[in-house]
Amino acid sequence: MEITASHPLALPVGVTLDRYIMHRQTAFPYATGELSQLLRDIALAGKIIHREVNRAGLIDLTGGMGVQNVQGESQQKLDMIANIRFSRALKNGGEACAIISEEDEDIIFTGNNNGKYVVAIDPLDGSSNIDVNVSIGTIFSIYRRVTAIGTEPSLADFLQGGRRQVAAGYILYGSSTIMVYTTGHSANGFTYDASLGEFILSHPDIHSPADGQTYSCNDGNLASYEDGIREYLTSCRQKEYTARYIGSLVADFHRNLLKGGIYLYPPTQKSPTGKLRLLYEAFPLAFLAEKAGCLATSGHQAILDIKPTSLHQRTPLFIGAPVMVENLMGFLR
Ligand code: AFP
């Protein structure tokens, strides 16, 4: 059989996430493999969520639970399922000693007090989009614990500050499922091939465009934005930029990361300190963004420089192409 250049067999399957993680691990002589295993546990839970999201409408997984989470937001069935899947994967994996999740008020102790890491996670972000087949995502952030190994982890393990993250990333369940993460070096994306059950390296060493012409914010909140933000948005319109807002942070962020753009969630009257959560939304995306050449700010300081004081703390967030973020900063007083 002749295998031409366009024949499917001519295309290599590529590097799997497992192989990539193993390869990266060998680049660090003292790495013991625990962080690698933790990333694999997260990817495994991501595959399970991919499956649940894809059949949600068929097995009655859409719709609300009729209860609110700790944020006062209505909890969807898939929110709860994703929370259980990730908590279970991290508990069973054995590397994480504690977890915080958007869905739980307090620290979840995994019982693995010998684990070196803690994980902050938003198991399913953008969940108001679940019922209408719009992209949603998981966001995660990993720290090496500061409390002694073998003891019970504490709040201090989670309030270290964004620059102390050892890995962070997201899984976007969109037109395809993709996991993008960094361990503090490059940012890399792995697209899920469901037929193989593998994440395959599809976006190596992501470098985001320095500038862009897309802005993403909830225009319905315009009246309650501060003047500087309104003026910035007016300038975007005058320049005939494109407005794109999915209402799923991961999806909006991912698009802007690849194509160039800015995502804005400023303070509003309803959410005067911002809506998004610092530990499991802003910190991980800011960490990843900086590795890909983007900027992330609260309007007053770099997101990664914010000193966290509580688990579910909120922050305003302006994140994306550096030229656009700097331009926006010029409008803030
Ligand atoms: P949900 O998970 O409640 O849908 O919130 C999603 C989110 O945290 C983030 O993903 C969106 O960008 C943002 O909130 C959307 O908020 P608005 O609906 O206020 O624009």
Side-chain angles (χ1 to χ4, degrees):
M1 179 176 65
E2 193 193 347
I3 299 178
T4 58
S6 59
H7 192 282
L9 282 177
L11 297 171
V13 168
V15 179
T16 65
L17 177 65
D18 271 3
R19 181 168 284 273
Y20 182 87
I21 290 174
M22 254 159 52
H23 174 73
R24 291 296 303 158
Q25 189 189 317
T26 52
F28 299 98
Y30 302 108
T32 53
E34 284 135 313
L35 179 60
S36 302
Q37 184 54 45
L38 192 47
L39 288 165
R40 286 200 287 262
D41 295 338
I42 290 173
L44 174 63
K47 290 180 193 178
I48 297 171
I49 305 307
H50 163 93
R51 188 189 64 191
E52 314 279 35
V53 166
N54 274 277
R55 58 182 189 164
L58 297 173
I59 52 168
D60 193 28
L61 291 184
T62 58
M65 296 288 296
V67 292
Q68 295 191 330
N69 66 14
V70 284
Q71 319 293 334
E73 293 154 356
S74 80
Q75 197 176 37
Q76 305 296 301
K77 288 181 195 162
L78 268 176
D79 275 334
M80 194 204 64
I81 288 169
N83 195 34
I84 292 171
R85 291 291 187 201
F86 275 102
S87 305
R88 203 179 281 163
L90 293 170
K91 279 180 188 167
N92 292 345
E95 314 303 345
C97 57
I99 309 162
I100 59 157
S101 160
E102 190 198 16
E103 304 301 327
D104 293 287
E105 184 140 21
D106 299 317
I107 297 174
I108 304 160
F109 297 101
T110 62
N112 309 319
N113 283 351
N114 287 325
K116 279 188 195 157
Y117 296 96
V118 297
V119 179
I121 193 157
D122 185 349
L124 210 54
D125 185 59
S127 50
S128 54
N129 282 322
I130 292 170
D131 292 357
V132 288
N133 290 54
V134 174
S135 303
I136 44 186
T138 298
I139 312 175
F140 61 91
S141 163
I142 303 175
Y143 296 86
R144 197 167 286 115
R145 65 187 294 183
V146 288
T147 48
I149 292 174
T151 64
E152 188 163 276
S154 78
L155 195 61
D157 293 310
F158 290 98
L159 302 184
Q160 299 184 43
R163 297 211 182 271
R164 299 198 43 124
Q165 292 172 96
V166 293
Y170 58 84
I171 304 170
L172 169 63
Y173 313 97
S175 52
S176 59
T177 291
I178 183 168
M179 175 166 165
V180 181
Y181 80 95
T182 180
T183 50
H185 305 279
S186 54
N188 294 282
F190 299 80
T191 300
Y192 184 55
D193 183 335
S195 64
L196 295 176
E198 296 277 9
F199 282 99
I200 308 285
L201 180 62
S202 53
H203 296 68
D205 197 10
I206 297 172
H207 288 277
S208 192
D211 199 0
Q213 302 201 335
T214 300
Y215 64 101
S216 317
C217 69
N218 187 340
D219 198 62
N221 291 334
L222 196 70
S224 73
Y225 292 160
E226 67 183 89
D227 290 348
I229 303 288
R230 282 207 295 268
E231 285 158 22
Y232 173 72
L233 293 173
T234 301
S235 78
C236 290
R237 290 184 188 120
Q238 283 163 349
K239 289 187 258 186
E240 298 188 3
Y241 280 6
T242 297
R244 289 281 181 273
Y245 188 66
I246 296 169
S248 270
L249 174 59
V250 175
D252 281 310
F253 176 81
H254 183 69
R255 182 201 51 247
N256 293 345
L257 181 75
L258 297 188
K259 304 223 177 225
I262 185 170
Y263 173 96
L264 310 88
Y265 210 109
T268 60
Q269 270 150 26
K270 196 171 149 210
S271 308
T273 54
K275 177 185 177 192
L276 300 173
R277 277 55 59 129
L278 181 62
L279 265 62
Y280 41 82
E281 293 183 313
F283 269 167
L285 295 189
F287 191 61
L288 194 60
E290 287 200 2
K291 303 304 164 201
C294 295
L295 290 178
T297 172
S298 67
H300 299 289
Q301 63 185 138
I303 290 289
L304 294 179
D305 289 335
I306 298 175
K307 177 89 196 88
T309 52
S310 63
L311 292 182
H312 299 288
Q313 185 172 341
R314 295 176 191 262
T315 179
L317 178 65
F318 308 100
I319 188 166
V323 173
M324 296 185 84
V325 174
E326 271 161 9
N327 184 234
L328 163 76
M329 293 299 286
F331 285 83
L332 301 181
R333 300 172 182 106

